[in-house]
Amino acid sequence: MEAKLFGSVVQPETKGVHSVPVTELAEPLPHEDYATRFFCGGCGTVLPVLREAVPGIVSSGAEPGPDQYIHTDRCDVCDSGFENARIKNIPFS
Ligand SMILES: [Zn+2]
């Protein structure tokens, strides 16, 4: 009898909706040159953001605080630029 190669593979979720990775966002930043992290709800990417890069992402010019991050709908990883970037509080539970 031949085993089915892909019969039992569970499909990963690729619906474009990712839950906010609180633990990852709350980790200490790798260097003082970084202001915060961004999280892309479109592809799930989390990356540190340099202070000098914040104004280019958040058009309001606001500075994220220590318990805040930048939430985007699209980012440079999944699209060509950051879309709908806004500063949000890390949703600690
Ligand atoms: Zn993305």
Side-chain angles (χ1 to χ4, degrees):
M1 193 165 65
E2 211 172 311
K4 274 200 230 168
L5 194 53
F6 299 114
S8 62
V9 173
V10 178
Q11 290 292 318
E13 276 207 42
T14 52
K15 294 258 200 293
V17 179
H18 297 265
S19 55
V20 179
V22 173
T23 312
E24 227 176 312
L25 288 170
E27 274 177 24
L29 292 161
H31 191 275
E32 61 183 14
D33 286 349
Y34 291 97
T36 187
R37 286 186 168 83
F38 83 85
F39 166 62
C40 175
C43 69
T45 297
V46 177
L47 285 174
V49 179
L50 287 166
R51 287 184 195 284
E52 62 190 33
V54 172
I57 298 173
V58 184
S59 52
S60 68
E63 290 261 336
D67 287 339
Q68 295 184 313
Y69 71 100
I70 299 170
H71 194 117
T72 67
D73 291 345
R74 291 288 185 183
C75 70
D76 270 342
V77 177
C78 64
D79 209 330
S80 55
F82 295 90
E83 187 180 298
N84 196 18
R86 64 270 192 201
I87 293 173
K88 295 183 79 168
N89 294 321
I90 298 174
F92 295 108
S93 48

